[in-house]
Amino acid sequence: MTIVPPKLRSGDIIRVVAPARSKAFATEHLDPELIERRFKEMGLVLTFGQHVDERDAFDSSSIASRVADLHAAFADPDVKAILTVIGGSNSNELLPYLDWDLIASNPKILCGYSNITALQNAILARTGLVTYSGPHWSSFGMRDHFERTAAWFTQTLFDDAPVNLLPSPEWTDDLWFLDQDVRVTMPSQGWWTLQDGHAEGQIIGTNMTTIAGLQGTPYMPSLNSSILVLEDTAGTDPADFARHLTSILQLPDAVGVLGLVIGRFQTDTGMTQELLTEIISRQPVLKDLPVLANVDVGHSSPQATFPIGGTLEITVGSNPSLQITRH
């Protein structure tokens, strides 16, 4: 049974933690005052884990420090939501040390993306708690072109009503934090309707490389009756994407997958609709299932907030739609 944590309300306290890279790493190019101001505008109070600014040779901190901050955030009854600083590569190091009973007994929002996918799917597998693939604390440092990401964040985390997603008219794919005065927006191609169909199921996702690393562990959630929502980074070319997708879809319970949503690919991946269509056609598990791509989820902007463990209804055809029905 899945557990949906309580929604946010004005006045709530947010705890920022660093399960992967350090806040000291993330703030080299950010304006913390802008981030603070944005959360104040939402009526939220930011607090920080004791160890978020520790930084080691991996631009992270010790396992003990990261686990302590995560446990403290779940254990503190005043903390209503947990937000990750940024992604990285090593949040899966924490999984053998987490107190799953503590987490299950104190259900609250956990939001982040990219490498945080390891934590989110492990929490779902071990506790049934719904978490959220959405912006990091650092994401709120994006000065311009952040409005749609912020709107999806508040719509998903403050309200119980179903969320109807629509493709954004424009998008960005840049290292925005390096020069916020020089930003280039690109017109969106809209969603790519790769295979028609309709389904409703539990969301499992989002960063595909990170999910692939959970295979064969006790931290991989079941794919039965699932809608996979998958995305990856600029370093994942079409061959890498195909390899990881094939690996996931060859899991024994992948026969229970009901549909697939794929996030927008960054420009450096070289992915095209034609290549992706060919990759999808090679997956027997996906035969006759709805597949929708070029969706606003992942490492480009804007970025929708998806509940991992929540429910998504997908319709692909002449009038495609995505509705998050339980979050």
Side-chain angles (χ1 to χ4, degrees):
M1 184 180 74
T2 55
I3 305 165
V4 176
K7 295 301 181 189
L8 290 174
R9 297 183 299 176
S10 181
D12 279 350
I13 294 174
I14 309 298
R15 178 66 50 81
V16 180
V17 298
R21 284 193 175 128
S22 165
K23 179 172 170 281
F25 169 85
T27 51
E28 286 182 354
H29 303 287
L30 290 178
D31 177 6
E33 291 184 3
L34 170 61
I35 300 174
E36 183 80 23
R37 184 164 65 251
R38 281 191 161 145
F39 280 91
K40 282 185 179 179
E41 290 170 354
M42 290 187 283
L44 301 174
V45 179
L46 288 178
T47 61
F48 294 87
Q50 179 181 351
H51 305 285
V52 293
D53 285 313
E54 293 178 8
R55 188 175 183 181
D56 62 15
F58 301 97
D59 289 320
S60 183
S61 63
S62 70
I63 292 173
S65 290
R66 288 178 282 153
V67 168
D69 278 357
L70 201 57
H71 282 168
F74 274 104
D76 189 337
D78 293 330
V79 171
K80 304 305 179 184
I82 303 166
L83 199 61
T84 56
V85 165
I86 197 171
S89 61
N90 60 351
S91 68
N92 61 341
E93 292 177 340
L94 311 186
L95 304 183
Y97 304 97
L98 292 179
D99 185 337
W100 304 111
D101 290 336
L102 171 68
I103 294 170
S105 299
N106 297 276
K108 57 188 68 176
I109 289 168
L110 169 68
C111 185
Y113 75 105
S114 192
N115 187 252
I116 308 306
T117 297
L119 279 179
Q120 293 164 331
N121 284 272
I123 287 173
L124 178 63
R126 299 302 296 269
T127 72
L129 178 63
V130 172
T131 58
Y132 299 85
S133 175
H136 298 299
W137 170 84
S138 57
S139 304
F140 286 83
M142 183 185 293
R143 189 186 67 197
D144 303 319
H145 314 299
F146 188 70
E147 296 82 4
R148 191 171 292 263
T149 296
W152 279 324
F153 176 85
T154 55
Q155 189 177 5
T156 306
L157 298 185
F158 280 82
D159 197 341
D160 288 313
V163 179
N164 291 296
L165 297 174
L166 295 172
S168 59
E170 60 184 16
W171 65 293
T172 62
D173 179 23
D174 56 0
L175 298 175
W176 55 267
F177 46 85
L178 294 182
D179 190 347
Q180 302 230 41
D181 293 322
V182 181
R183 302 286 310 282
V184 176
T185 62
M186 295 172 282
S188 173
Q189 297 178 354
W191 291 336
W192 297 348
T193 55
L194 303 187
Q195 290 184 183
D196 290 357
H198 175 269
E200 185 171 12
Q202 184 179 52
I203 299 170
I204 302 296
T206 57
N207 182 257
M208 188 168 65
T209 298
T210 304
I211 290 175
L214 294 178
Q215 294 177 91
T217 74
Y219 312 113
M220 179 73 186
S222 171
L223 300 184
N224 286 321
S225 301
S226 69
I227 305 289
L228 293 178
V229 179
L230 301 175
E231 58 82 25
D232 226 317
T233 65
T236 300
D237 63 21
D240 288 332
F241 184 87
R243 175 167 55 93
H244 287 308
L245 181 64
T246 299
S247 176
I248 292 169
L249 293 179
Q250 288 179 355
L251 288 168
D253 58 358
V255 295
V257 171
L258 302 177
L260 173 62
V261 174
I262 301 172
R264 181 173 37 240
F265 289 91
Q266 292 181 266
T267 304
D268 286 350
T269 66
M271 183 66 84
T272 64
Q273 186 171 352
E274 181 181 10
L275 284 171
L276 186 57
T277 299
E278 173 63 24
I279 290 168
I280 297 302
S281 72
R282 297 182 181 190
Q283 304 299 329
V285 166
L286 296 178
K287 182 177 173 57
D288 299 324
L289 298 184
V291 180
L292 189 67
N294 207 39
V295 174
D296 295 294
V297 58
H299 285 72
S300 63
S301 182
Q303 174 190 24
T305 297
F306 277 85
I308 305 305
T311 306
L312 180 68
E313 184 176 5
I314 173 176
T315 300
V316 185
S318 58
N319 187 26
S321 65
L322 286 175
Q323 185 183 69
I324 301 172
T325 55
R326 184 170 184 259
H327 57 91

